[in-house]
Amino acid sequence: QVQLVESGGGLVQAGGSLRLSCAASGRTFSNYRMGWFRQAPGKEREFVAAIRWSSGSTSYADSVKGRFTISRDNAENTVYLQMNSLKPEDTAVYYCAARPMIVANYNYWGQGTQVTVSS
């Protein structure tokens, strides 16, 4: 069974940085795409960033390009989201997600970690 466990959230001032981690277990993820999503209060969940585990190719939402970096560590089976130059509008619960490359939608989700950016 796939399990995704996020960590690293917290409270930070605007302009600061945080690094989120997503520990993945339960199978080999070489043919998976891993993503980060976020959901702010009263808003729908939105895409933040994704990485193809095998090649390391990445994609980002326009709102975070140039500020956030997604990466993975094969040895640790962990996906990271480095968040720099944080803004109050980045405040949300951040979720790690996974899907096999042949599946259109993300079908595995973590429990989420809260990120709060104060102004």
Side-chain angles (χ1 to χ4, degrees), residues 83-102:
M83 305 186 295
N84 299 329
S85 302
L86 283 161
K87 305 174 182 180
E89 51 264 43
D90 294 318
T91 295
V93 177
Y94 283 71
Y95 297 90
C96 179
R99 66 170 176 87
M101 291 301 299
I102 61 172

Side-chain angles (χ1 to χ4, degrees), residues 12-64:
V12 64
Q13 287 189 331
S17 298
L18 280 175
R19 188 178 79 158
L20 304 183
S21 300
C22 172
S25 62
R27 63 189 58 187
T28 301
F29 291 93
S30 57
N31 291 320
Y32 274 67
R33 189 167 187 82
M34 309 296 291
W36 285 98
F37 291 75
R38 67 187 181 186
Q39 188 166 20
K43 294 188 176 181
E44 292 187 355
R45 187 176 296 183
E46 64 175 1
F47 169 78
V48 175
I51 186 168
R52 184 169 180 170
W53 198 288
S54 57
S55 66
S57 63
T58 59
S59 60
Y60 297 91
D62 288 343
S63 59
V64 307

